[in-house]
Amino acid sequence: MRARAQLRSHPIHPMLVAFPIGLWIGSFAFDVAAIAQGDPSLAAAGFYAVIGGCAGAVLAAIAGAVDLFGVVPSRSSAKNRGYIHAVLNVSALVLFIVVAARRGGAGAMPDGLSILLSAIGVVLILSSGWLGGTLVYRNQIGVDHRYANAGKWRERTLAGWDQPVCNQSELADGQMTVAEVRGLKVVVGRCPEGMFAFSDHCTHRGGPLSDGALVGCTVQCPWHGSQFDIRTGHVVAGPARSKIESYPVELRGGEVFVMPNRAREPEKKEAA
Ligand code: FES
C-alpha cells in the first residue's frame, strides 16, 4: 500500500530510520572504544551520536505513525506487527534519552550502566528493524503498485454511499480502485463480466486485496496468495477459508455506485 507520508511516491519513514539506526549503533561503538582507549574525544562523539539518533528517531516516528494509522490495514497481522514495531522504537528512544541525560554532556565518559542501556537500545532497534523489513517486504506497506495503462493510482474517501466510487471508464479489465466509505474500504474491480465491489479486507490475515492482482474475475491477495471470486466473494484458493464481503453495484450515467451490504454476514475470524 502506498505510504501516506511520502515525497513523490518515496516513503519518508524508511528514509529517516537510517539516522537512529546508524547513529545509535555508532554511539555504542564510540562509547566502547572511549572506555577501551580512555579517549574523551571518542566519548564526545558517542554523546553527539546519541543526540543525533534521538532527533532522527522522533522525525521517523512521526512519519511512521502517519503510515501506521493511515495506511496499514485495520484488523490485520501487519497492524499488530506495526504496533510492536512502534513500541520497540519508542522504547529504544526512551533508553537513549536516558543515556544522554545520565551523561549530561559531551565531556563525560560513559559509565557501565550507560553502556548497558545503549546495548539494550541497539538490540531493540535492530529487532524493530527486522519487523520493519517484514512490514515492507512481506506486507508491502509503502509499496506503490501500478497497473499497466492505469495512470495514477487513486484512493478515494466518500462521505456516504450516495457518492460514486468512480466512472466506469476509469477502469479497464483487471483493474481495481478502492474507496473508503464510513470507515469501510471497498474495492471496485472490473472483470470480463462487469463491475463488482467487495471488501478490501482479506479474510485470512487482513491483507489489502486492492493491492493484489485481478485476473479474470479472481482477485489474489498480495500477502499469502488467497484467491477470491469477486462476483460472489467465495474463496477460490486458500489459505483463506471465509468468503470476502460483496457489495451491490449500480451504474448511473456511467458513474459507479456501491450499495451498502444490508445482509452483512457476521465476521468469521481466523487465527492471525
Ligand atoms: S492475508 Fe493471507 S492470504 Fe490474504
Side-chain angles (χ1 to χ4, degrees):
M1 307 205 76
R2 187 180 185 193
R4 194 156 288 178
Q6 45 91 11
L7 278 177
R8 300 178 68 82
S9 285
H10 292 269
I12 293 173
H13 180 67
M15 294 183 210
L16 294 175
V17 296
F19 291 98
I21 293 174
L23 289 169
W24 285 342
I25 292 175
S27 77
F28 176 68
F30 278 128
D31 285 352
V32 170
I35 289 180
Q37 300 190 14
D39 185 343
S41 64
L42 289 172
F47 177 80
Y48 289 125
V50 169
I51 300 296
C54 290
V58 170
L59 295 176
I62 294 169
V66 169
D67 288 342
L68 176 60
F69 294 109
V71 172
V72 180
S74 57
R75 297 177 291 126
S76 71
S77 56
K79 197 75 155 188
N80 297 336
R81 189 171 286 122
Y83 287 140
I84 297 170
H85 176 69
V87 167
L88 292 176
N89 287 339
V90 171
S91 301
L93 175 60
V94 169
L95 276 183
F96 280 103
I97 288 174
V98 170
V99 167
R102 280 180 52 78
R103 297 271 292 273
M109 289 290 279
D111 59 9
L113 182 57
S114 293
I115 295 284
L116 176 63
L117 293 177
S118 291
I120 296 171
V122 166
V123 170
L124 289 178
I125 198 71
L126 291 179
S127 305
S128 176
W130 178 283
L131 292 179
T134 307
L135 283 164
V136 173
Y137 297 112
R138 188 190 301 162
N139 297 138
Q140 304 177 33
I141 306 301
V143 175
D144 190 2
H145 294 282
R146 306 280 170 99
Y147 294 125
N149 303 318
K152 202 167 179 182
W153 168 260
R154 287 188 64 188
E155 184 173 337
R156 299 162 174 85
T157 300
L158 307 183
W161 298 96
D162 55 346
Q163 293 189 323
V165 172
C166 61
N167 189 283
Q168 62 175 340
S169 63
E170 292 177 46
L171 297 179
D173 271 359
Q175 293 183 350
M176 298 177 279
T177 189
V178 64
E180 185 164 344
V181 194
R182 300 189 174 177
L184 286 176
K185 283 203 165 182
V186 178
V187 186
V188 171
R190 184 172 196 146
C191 75
E193 294 192 25
M195 313 281 282
F196 296 92
F198 50 96
S199 169
D200 193 34
H201 182 85
C202 174
T203 53
H204 179 224
R205 293 187 181 174
L209 296 174
S210 57
D211 267 353
L214 179 59
V215 178
C217 291
T218 299
V219 65
Q220 176 165 302
C221 177
W223 285 6
H224 311 98
S226 290
Q227 296 178 347
F228 303 91
D229 187 324
I230 66 169
R231 297 165 297 183
T232 61
H234 286 124
V235 176
V236 175
R241 289 175 297 175
S242 305
K243 64 177 288 199
I244 52 173
E245 195 160 347
S246 299
Y247 297 87
V249 168
E250 277 186 23
L251 294 177
R252 297 179 211 152
E255 300 292 317
V256 181
F257 291 82
V258 174
M259 302 294 108
N261 189 344
R262 302 286 180 206
R264 195 172 171 184
E265 294 178 15
E267 299 262 351
K268 295 175 193 169
K269 273 200 163 182
E270 293 181 16

